[in-house]
Every structure is written in C-alpha cells, then in structure tokens.
Amino acid sequence: MKIALSLYDLEPRDLLDLATAADEFGFGGLWLGEHLVLPVEYGSAHPTHGQSGHQHHTGAIIDPATELMDPLVALGGAAAYTSRLTLATGIYLLPLRHPLLTARAVATLHELSGGRFKLGVGAGWLREEFDALAVPFKERFALLEETLDVLRAAWRGGPFEHQGTHFDIGRVQVSPRPVPVPLVLGGNSDKALRRAVRLGDEWFSSGTPSFEDALVLRDKLDRLCAEEGRVTGLRCHFRVARWDPELIRRYEAEGFTDVVLWADQVWGKGTLDENRRALAQAAERVGL
C-alpha cells in the first residue's frame, strides 16, 4: 500500500522542505490543495460541512491567515527537489481556468517531473471565488466536463480542434507528442462518483471520510465501474483521519492500495530540524 501526504496552507519554501523530507523518508506522493484567491467575506460552505468525521480543517477553510500558492508552480519546484514522489493536485479548480492554459502548464510540469505528475481536479464549491474571477458558478460542472474533453484532445499530441458549449477552439497544437497525465476526479456525492467513473482515470476523496464511509465509497465506485463496463476499475486515493498504524492496517487489510495522511498533523510550525524529526518518526510509525 502506498502512503501519501495531503498539503494545504503552507508557505512555498516550507512546501519544498516538506517535499524533500517526504521523498527521503519513503512517502509515495504529495497532494496539494488550492484556492486561487481569498474572498475576505464569504458564506459558502464546503460540501462536507456538518458531516461528522469528514472535515479535517476546523473553522474557516480559507481566511486571511491562509497561505495560498499556485499548485502547478509549487509542484514544479517540488519536482526539482525530489526524484521518487508522485506529485498531484488535490484538487485543482479546473473550471476557473481556460483549458488551453491548463493543458500547456500541465504538459510542462509532466515533462519536468519525469512523468510523476497527476492532475486531480474538481468543480469547486466557493461561489465567491468564482464571482471574483467572473466565472459563472452555476456552470462549473459543465465547464469541468468540457475542459476535460479539451485536455484529453490536447494531450493526445499533434493538432486538434474543439467546438463545444463554452469553448470554440480552432485547429491548434499544445504538444507534438502524447502527454499521458492521469486525470483524477474528486467528490463524494453520487453525481461526483458517477462522473469520476465516466470521465476519470483515478479518484480522490473529498474531505476525510471515516473508515466506514471509505468502505461504502469504495464499494459504490466498484459497482459503478461494473455498470459502466470499466475493465480495470478506478484507482482510489482516500484521505485518512490520523497517523495511526492500526488504522492504516485496517485499510490495508480491506484491500485499499492508496491512502493519504494530513501532513499538518506532523509537519507543524517548528524549526526545519524539528519538523524533519517529526516526519521521520511518523514515517516509521506507519511502516515506511
């Protein structure tokens, strides 16, 4: 079983230090969350709000003290400091960008990382963030799906064109060769799970499902894959609530292949040496 780290609210330099240590101590990957901007006053609630055991961050998920960074730039930096880690967005707000800009940036990061990058995407939930960027919030799911179509066309390599509801793209080229970036879709709702099975290569949990809920979600995804006729199923990445060897063993015993631990539980506000020692001890506790 592979054990990765979920990151959010870090300064860029701190992220590079954490990535270097995680690579050294045997972690399988980094998942970096994002918001583009901070709406200073907002009323939107995260989809997992009010669900017991599902939300890792207490209080506001984004506030004036939150450190925001561009995930593709940050993971490009991490790629230069590491050699083994899978680098992924968990998740990237796809409807807030033009698909050609995303296609170009991701293709570059894919090559810089030696093929270690995965693009984890979602539709977003913070209406005020969409308002700030003049993107219609109600159209975010349609934008997400059409953008995925454009990305796949762009990454096949060579010229392509696209005519859709939101984007009308004449014959252009992003890359002369294929760019095999896995597309990872997030979301725990029935609609999100069906979308992941239909359009994704892999799936990433939203929030932090309990162990029991993870079993339910895994079984739902297996059933939907069978209904959709997927031959290989869907690789799933589940966030886990805490650094607990017993809990990790329960996931492994149930056949889970990929779990993701919250980095801020062991990589805190101490000195670099203190943080590295804490992460090394945590890695040893979970058997890395």
Side-chain angles (χ1 to χ4, degrees):
M1 184 172 64
K2 293 189 176 181
I3 300 176
L5 298 172
S6 185
L7 319 180
Y8 180 67
D9 190 17
L10 284 175
E11 295 181 10
R13 180 65 247 184
D14 205 24
L15 180 142
L16 295 181
D17 290 335
L18 173 52
T20 303
D23 199 49
E24 179 182 342
F25 300 146
F27 288 93
L30 299 181
W31 292 83
L32 178 59
E34 74 146 347
H35 283 284
L36 268 76
V37 295
L38 162 67
V40 176
E41 296 180 359
Y42 68 90
S44 301
H46 191 273
T48 62
H49 178 74
Q51 299 177 22
S52 177
H54 278 227
Q55 191 167 309
H56 173 71
H57 297 281
T58 58
I61 294 176
I62 180 171
D63 63 32
T66 304
E67 293 284 349
L68 301 180
M69 69 179 87
D70 184 285
L72 301 186
V73 173
L75 291 175
Y81 279 72
T82 60
S83 60
R84 300 180 305 100
L85 285 174
T86 295
L87 305 168
T89 51
I91 53 85
Y92 188 77
L93 299 172
L94 202 59
L96 292 177
R97 280 90 166 189
H98 191 285
L100 292 181
L101 297 179
T102 299
R104 173 68 278 154
V106 168
T108 301
L109 179 49
H110 170 76
E111 296 209 356
L112 285 175
S113 66
R116 291 184 286 134
F117 178 67
K118 297 181 180 185
L119 183 64
V121 301
W125 59 272
L126 186 53
R127 177 188 293 270
E128 293 83 354
E129 189 172 20
F130 280 73
D131 293 343
L133 291 155
V135 176
F137 184 72
K138 290 184 178 179
E139 296 178 24
R140 66 194 187 281
F141 295 109
L143 284 165
L144 172 67
E145 294 202 14
E146 190 170 339
T147 298
L148 291 173
D149 289 341
V150 176
L151 293 181
R152 291 201 184 277
W155 294 340
R156 281 196 290 267
F160 74 99
E161 55 188 300
H162 173 89
Q163 283 77 46
T165 302
H166 296 91
F167 305 106
D168 188 354
I169 302 170
R171 197 161 172 78
V172 297
Q173 179 172 299
V174 168
S175 172
R177 56 193 169 274
V179 184
V181 176
L183 284 167
V184 187
L185 271 65
N188 300 356
S189 69
D190 285 344
K191 286 184 177 179
L193 297 179
R194 290 182 182 277
R195 185 183 303 112
V197 168
R198 182 166 48 90
L199 301 175
D201 300 310
E202 303 179 17
W203 176 83
F204 184 75
S205 68
S206 179
T208 311
S210 66
F211 176 73
E212 292 73 20
D213 286 342
L215 290 172
V216 171
L217 287 165
R218 190 267 311 273
D219 291 345
K220 278 185 181 179
L221 285 162
D222 285 346
R223 186 177 67 253
L224 291 171
C225 284
E227 291 175 4
E228 189 71 19
R230 290 187 66 125
V231 176
T232 57
L234 197 67
R235 184 174 180 179
C236 298
H237 306 266
F238 284 90
R239 284 197 183 111
V240 176
R242 61 189 183 277
W243 293 76
D244 181 344
E246 260 188 53
L247 179 59
I248 301 301
R249 282 194 290 271
R250 290 181 70 192
Y251 280 87
E252 189 169 19
E254 283 291 340
F256 288 84
T257 59
D258 297 89
V259 297
V260 184
L261 302 172
W262 285 101
D264 62 1
Q265 293 180 347
V266 291
W267 188 275
K269 302 298 182 182
T271 66
L272 176 57
D273 285 344
E274 289 169 342
N275 286 342
R276 282 179 56 85
R277 281 196 297 272
L279 189 64
Q281 290 167 2
E284 185 176 2
R285 283 189 62 211
V286 296
L288 295 180

